[in-house]
Amino acid sequence: MLIVTTNDVPGHRIDAVFGEVMGLTVRSRDIGSQLVAGFRSLGGGELPEMTKALYESRQEVMSRMVNEAQQRGANAIVAMRFDTSEMGGNWTEVCAYGTAVYIIPLKEGESGATGQSVYLTQQGQQPNNEPGNTQL
């Protein structure tokens, strides 16, 4: 599944739009991590416990968003964004969202074709719709 923050994919034509997809999680911070992070924050710098929790949340919401897009028949997500907010002091909401689409690489000679799209069409490949695949 190709995921981009742009509204289109260079060298590809959007053939179908399946609509908005999203992944969402709300996590609470455990008391141990909060205490350790609280002590670390006194000295300044990165809080590895919080960084790890946010990184894991990001991976989880991306996976959920990709699964929703695949269920709709998409092979790419355009205009992807993240949103994060704090809820209730100890809860963090993380959301990934974008537009699920089906893209087709442009052939050599077509307006907007790129080296990558020409290569893909010459190889007879379409963007891969395998779970977890984030490359063409």
Side-chain angles (χ1 to χ4, degrees):
M1 175 78 51
L2 180 65
I3 302 169
V4 297
T5 58
T6 56
N7 292 330
D8 57 11
V9 180
H12 294 76
R13 179 181 77 240
I14 294 177
D15 196 53
V17 176
F18 299 105
E20 183 183 17
V21 290
M22 65 176 261
L24 177 69
T25 188
V26 177
R27 298 241 178 143
S28 66
R29 291 172 272 194
D30 67 79
I31 191 71
S33 292
Q34 280 185 288
L35 288 174
V36 171
F39 286 122
R40 284 186 201 257
S41 68
L42 295 174
E46 182 179 10
L47 304 173
E49 299 81 12
M50 298 297 127
T51 300
K52 180 182 178 197
L54 285 174
Y55 181 80
E56 289 171 354
S57 295
R58 175 186 163 157
Q59 296 305 311
E60 186 174 340
V61 298
M62 289 285 289
S63 176
R64 290 177 180 175
M65 178 182 63
V66 166
N67 285 337
E68 185 176 336
Q70 288 174 330
Q71 288 175 0
R72 294 185 186 191
N75 65 357
I77 298 172
V78 297
M80 195 285 294
R81 302 286 187 267
F82 283 107
D83 188 23
T84 304
S85 62
E86 192 170 312
M87 300 170 56
N90 290 334
W91 301 341
T92 303
E93 172 196 30
V94 179
C95 181
Y97 59 94
T99 303
V101 297
Y102 190 86
I103 59 173
I104 298 173
L106 299 173
K107 297 176 183 169
E108 187 172 10
E110 288 187 76
S111 178
T114 63
Q116 181 184 31
S117 68
V118 170
Y119 173 79
L120 290 172
T121 58
Q122 288 173 348
Q123 299 301 311
Q125 297 178 11
Q126 290 292 319
N128 196 337
N129 209 8
E130 295 290 319
N133 186 1
T134 57
Q135 298 181 11
L136 289 177

